[in-house]
Amino acid sequence: MWIQLVTCWLWLFMNSAEGSRRGCGETLTASRGILTTPNFPGPFSVPLNCEWVIDAQHVWAPNTSIIVYLTQLFVYEGLTFTEYQLYGSDYKINPQIIHRVNESNISKVRWIQTFQSFLVIRLELITADSAHLRVLDNFLDVYGFNITYEISTEAVRPNSCTMMDCGFTGNCYDYYK
């Protein structure tokens, strides 16, 4: 438990070669990185329409997968995870929604995994008022998300850090090798 808490509070300062915390949507090819909503954990301008594309086609090894750890997820609508066999600006082959965040699963799902070459994470919000988690009856308003991804041949880490492990007020960046 102590290691997990220390891990949850670990701040990862990553250079662009490992993926960095940027704006709203981009194509990611690094083997690991962090995705955040603008101004996380603070409020952001709405409407918001973001699309992050995790591209694993450059990794050619058996059992390669894209794993997304839902480290700090405070938005409970408008967020979908769709896998694709191929994905481009003018073609999208074999789309399948593999997870849609909602009120009933926000604290139950720790990670998302796909063995396809592309994972598209889409956030569409018209308003943030009813879509973000409020802690202790509006004592602490937290908006958006900070999630960690990796492209790997390793197994999913079942004890990955989530907002429930770190406490709602902590900065939770999941540790990875």
Side-chain angles (χ1 to χ4, degrees), residues 55-143:
D55 177 355
Q57 69 179 340
H58 64 285
V59 178
W60 195 59
N63 300 318
T64 297
S65 69
I66 301 169
I67 306 164
V68 178
Y69 296 98
L70 305 178
T71 44
Q72 284 186 299
L73 180 59
F74 296 105
V75 62
Y76 57 84
E77 68 181 44
L79 184 62
T80 57
F81 296 80
T82 306
E83 64 182 11
Y84 292 86
Q85 185 176 8
L86 291 172
Y87 187 87
S89 58
D90 57 345
Y91 59 89
K92 293 164 180 54
I93 299 177
N94 294 336
Q96 171 137 4
I97 294 176
I98 58 174
H99 184 63
R100 186 171 304 210
V101 173
N102 60 46
E103 249 181 294
S104 65
N105 67 22
I106 189 169
S107 63
K108 295 176 184 172
V109 177
R110 298 180 76 87
W111 48 267
I112 310 296
Q113 181 179 30
T114 180
F115 288 92
Q116 293 292 345
S117 297
F118 295 90
L119 181 65
V120 176
I121 302 168
R122 187 170 205 55
L123 177 62
E124 294 180 84
L125 290 175
I126 295 172
T127 179
D129 294 334
S130 64
H132 76 281
L133 188 62
R134 291 178 172 89
V135 179
L136 299 175
D137 196 25
N138 298 336
F139 174 70
L140 175 67
D141 282 348
V142 185
Y143 298 81

